[in-house]
Every structure is written in structure tokens, then in C-alpha cells.
Amino acid sequence: MTGPGLTSAPAGWYPDPDGAPGMVRWWNGETWSDVTTPAGPGVAVQSPPVVAPRTSVPASTWGAGQWDPAPQPAPARSRTGWWVAGSVLAVVVVVVVALVVGLSGGSGGTPVADDPPVPAGPSGTEFPPGTVRIVDEEAGISYPFLGNGWFEYDLGPMAETRTIAGQYFTTQEGVPTGGIFIAQCTSGPVTAGYGWSGPGSEQATVTALADSVRAAYYPYPNEREVLRDEALTVDGRAAHLLEFQLTWDVEGYDSTGERAALVVIDVGRPDPALLYVSIPNTHAELYGTIDRVLADIDVL
């Protein structure tokens, strides 16, 4: 509850209270999220009703995740789970949270239904100051750095690519199969054995890759709904996108599903590039990340 004359802002996207230009942060009605996202299409930014620094609020416990090896032995990986297109908004500091928290008599308040409480993951390796894009020289592509709260991917290899680069954040520790669950946006050159036979085989390759990650990195049993299976042109190069929603009901997982997209790009090298974006349904407000990343891929 709030005190007399005070306003508790409704859940939604607000200009980043830490002051990052052009970035917005999710407010669940009681606490701030741990990550930011660029303002842009698909992000409805709310007008801040009151002013208060984010430093006065405890870190959000919202969760997300992916990439924990499924019941079958996973390929060699240490992790177990798995834009900047947007107009710059005037940054305003948001919400009298310190007073709200103090008057409610607790440090975090009661979790709200549209932002389920998930243990916040540990910090990872931060990107150098000023980073705006991730450049994957091995894969031959670059794409947007997604901002504060996303860390440099350093969790080990995955079977589907020869090398791996990108970003992630931990959304759940201690999943039933061990290890962690993460949200991620990663890339790499595709490993041999996934159907690549040169230009024209983008769809066959991305289909084989999607089947591989579904079997290796998600809770089982799960169901898949294909959302998009379509040819694309990425920076003038032939590509194919497969986007899907997985759902599961497995005890011990904070998420009950995840939206993921894989795009295979013919970059003019012996191996095509794979870009993989995964967002669990505990962070459904970040689903728009997928389109913003796909719209801002450059071929090196």
C-alpha cells in the first residue's frame, strides 16, 4: 500500500532511473528489473508519475531462463539452461519507491502476478564501457548489445557452433538437472553435421539446429509451437528464421515456457552463422528483444 498523497506506478516500461540514455527498465509495480532494454518499436514507455532513484529499491527478483541441459546428456557446455534501433528518449527518474517500500513495512513487498519472483542470478563478466554492439569475428556478424544487466557469454561451448560469443543473464540457480537457467543472445559459426551444404540450405540447417537445442537444453517433456519459419535477407545475405514457443510443466523450474529464435545466415564463408535469442516466459516483457535484434544484424 502507499501512504497518503503518494502514487505507486503501475507495471510497465519506464525511462531507466539510472539515467542510461535511450534505455528503459521494467517496473513490476513494486520493484525494478535487473536488466534494461533499448526504447523502440514494441516497447510502450510509460510517463513517470513521480520521481525516485532506483538505488532506493532492492534489486528485482524477477527471473528468466533457459539453457539447462535436458534429461539427456547435453553437449559439452558448462551452462545448463541457454537493438540498438530505437529513438532516444528523455531520461527521467521514476517512482517514489523508497517511500512506498518504507511505508509498506517490508524490503520487497508482495510479489505481483505479472512478474513472478525468481531468484536473481549472480553477476557475470561486464562488457567494456561504451559497448554498443557485439562483434563475432568467428561467425562473421555483429548485433546489438542489449544493455545493463546483460553479461558477456563465458559459460562454455555449445555443440551447435564451433565457437560462441554473445550475452546472457542468469534467471534461476539450482535447476533440477543442476547448474543454472539463463536468457541469452548468442552467435557462432555452425558446426558441421547440421545439414549445411551451401547456399540454399539455410532452412534445412536452422531446422536441424532448432531440433538439437530443443532436445539438449530445455526441460522435458515439452511442446513446441512454431511461430515463424521463413526466409529472410540479412544485410543483403540469404538467411532463414525459425522462431518458436516451448511450453513445459516440470517441477523445479520457475519458467513454464520460453520463446526462442534461431536464424542461420549465409555469410559467404564455409560455415554459416547462427544467431540464437532465447527469452523465458518469466521475462515475457522482453519478447520484443527478438525482433529488435533480428532487425539490426550486420554481416562483417
Side-chain angles (χ1 to χ4, degrees):
M1 62 182 290
T2 60
L6 298 180
T7 301
S8 179
W13 291 107
Y14 291 89
D16 180 27
D18 287 349
M23 305 300 287
V24 292
R25 190 181 294 272
W26 181 257
W27 168 254
N28 71 3
E30 294 186 5
T31 58
W32 291 106
S33 69
D34 297 323
V35 297
T36 57
T37 189
V43 177
V45 182
Q46 308 296 318
S47 298
V50 239
V51 176
R54 189 174 76 94
T55 53
S56 62
V57 232
S60 165
T61 56
W62 71 331
Q66 198 228 223
W67 308 155
D68 38 358
Q72 304 105 331
R77 309 176 56 174
S78 60
R79 64 172 188 180
T80 59
W82 256 47
W83 45 60
V84 182
S87 55
V88 176
L89 301 179
V91 178
V92 190
V93 193
V94 194
V95 191
V96 184
V97 179
L99 292 175
V100 174
V101 172
L103 291 171
S104 65
S107 60
T110 303
V112 294
D114 60 347
D115 190 8
V118 178
S123 296
T125 303
E126 294 187 355
F127 285 88
T131 298
V132 294
R133 294 188 70 78
I134 294 173
V135 178
D136 186 348
E137 296 284 358
E138 292 293 326
I141 60 173
S142 72
Y143 45 94
F145 168 51
L146 297 177
N148 181 46
W150 292 81
F151 300 101
E152 186 172 357
Y153 187 91
D154 55 5
L155 302 181
M158 54 182 288
E160 291 77 16
T161 57
R162 291 191 289 103
T163 60
I164 184 168
Q167 54 202 314
Y168 82 102
F169 64 90
T170 300
T171 62
Q172 182 184 351
E173 297 183 84
V175 294
T177 53
I180 62 175
F181 212 58
I182 66 172
Q184 73 183 76
C185 174
T186 56
S187 60
V190 175
T191 304
Y194 289 94
W196 180 251
S197 58
S201 59
E202 294 85 10
Q203 182 176 19
T205 302
V206 78
T207 299
L209 290 166
D211 290 342
S212 177
V213 300
R214 178 187 180 187
Y217 309 130
Y218 291 97
Y220 182 84
N222 60 62
E223 296 183 1
R224 182 172 72 176
E225 177 188 1
V226 174
L227 304 176
R228 288 188 287 182
D229 184 355
E230 59 191 44
L232 301 175
T233 299
V234 174
D235 198 15
R237 305 289 185 137
H240 202 95
L241 166 68
L242 183 57
E243 181 178 1
F244 55 86
Q245 183 79 36
L246 284 181
T247 56
W248 57 79
D249 183 10
V250 180
E251 186 176 356
Y253 290 89
D254 294 309
S255 58
T256 58
E258 177 156 303
R259 184 166 297 184
L262 294 84
V263 58
V264 166
I265 308 163
D266 180 4
V267 292
R269 301 183 181 187
D271 301 318
L274 169 65
L275 178 69
Y276 182 34
V277 188
S278 66
I279 306 292
N281 62 6
T282 49
H283 283 62
E285 68 275 5
L286 291 176
Y287 283 169
T289 298
I290 293 173
D291 284 338
R292 287 191 289 276
V293 170
L294 293 176
D296 196 12
I297 306 170
D298 290 335
V299 176
L300 304 181

